[in-house]
Amino acid sequence: MYAMKSSKKRKKAQTTVLPEELVLEILIRLPVKSLRRFKCVSKAWRTEISDPSFIRSHLQFSASRWEQNPSLLITPHTLDRAVQGENWPTTFSSNIRFYKWQQGASKTRLVHGRDFDGEFSSVCLFAYCDGLVLLPTDTKVYLFNPATRDVLTLPESSRDAMYGDVNLPVGFGRDPRTGMYKVVRSFFRSIDPETGIYDMGMEVCTVGGGGGSNPAPRWRETAADQPYPVAGWITAQSTNGGVYFVIDTSCLKPRPHGILRFCLTDETFSVTRLPDELDPEEFESYNLDVMHGELCLIGRRVGHSAERPLTIWALVEDDGATSLWEPRYMLYVTDLCHPIALIPSSGAGAGGVMVIWLTNKLYCYDLQSNELTVACELESLRFQRRRSGTFESAGKDAYFFNVIPYTESLVPLTALDGHLGH
């Protein structure tokens, strides 16, 4: 009898211990919300989930999952009041909300929200990298990780001679050599009264070095000045260690046939030549976007018929001295748009669907049939309210929408001990 009881106790006390490698494989597949809770399970789990190598592995898995089932982050921007005669409103609400949307959904889920209580009055397009979102405004620059609900207000700078008058051109990306994130912002020094050409400089703020022995984030001016002025109100695009700005060619003679590239590694400037086939009359009428890690230029080619289809070029080579653009897609749409994602074809044939954003609508463009269908009318989408959890549409209250790809990330906005690897 005693032996039988002891055997039962031993069986009851036995537990299955999973190998550490298997536990990690499970953890990197979990959403950020779950991982934040699991940090409280034990000190060992908190250390593991906060480790830079785990953060990078989790990000890579999230990115690969996004390739198959893209999700978007949508932010409606409303006005506190309307002012007649403004080229771009200066009365935007400082209440920022991030909503997650996936194809086919009529509702969006609130991921994160923050009210900045009038700290700014104008906004423009977001920049994004590795799940982090950069909000440029007419006064300050803010960096978010919507998944972890962290917000970082970057320090102010006294270098800009037009502070508050214009949204400064801002870019944001990851330095592939150090793994650190850098925010890059151009600023105005002066204007030549005879030529109308602005004298502009560039400043950099490295994010993630604010803990331990590292100094707090601060703006520092680059050693070399940018060779050309860049266009205000246009957010730069970043990929593969470079930040790309649109050059302000309005007063330049001759006009440069290129865009300005800032290298995040050595912080030098170069000019990336535009596609030779780009219509020279369209030099100021093109969009730059990043789609699946490639810089894309959307514009019209020389010599096309009256239908004027759009061409999407992908930058496949750019080493600072030479650049090579490859024409990838033709879109039979009338207005410039923003390509966001490619959804692979489920069948054996080529093609697939491209998700594009145009003003207040998202479209699906069939690359084989050239058929354009509305995937979502942003004004009709139902957005989750912060407090009640109910859903209602933005309707006509939204002046415009920010739409960016959304990959969940654990990347912190504070000190990155050991950085995030390579």
Side-chain angles (χ1 to χ4, degrees), residues 100 108 112 229 304 317 388:
K100 182 181 179 181
T108 63
H112 178 54
H304 264 290
E317 181 181 336
S388 65

Side-chain angles (χ1 to χ4, degrees), residues 22 79 85 158 163 206 209 212 214 259-260 273 289 327 377 398:
L22 182 57
L79 301 181
S158 59
Y163 178 81
T206 301
N214 295 317
I259 52 180
L260 186 67
R273 185 172 174 81
D289 287 282
E377 294 192 12

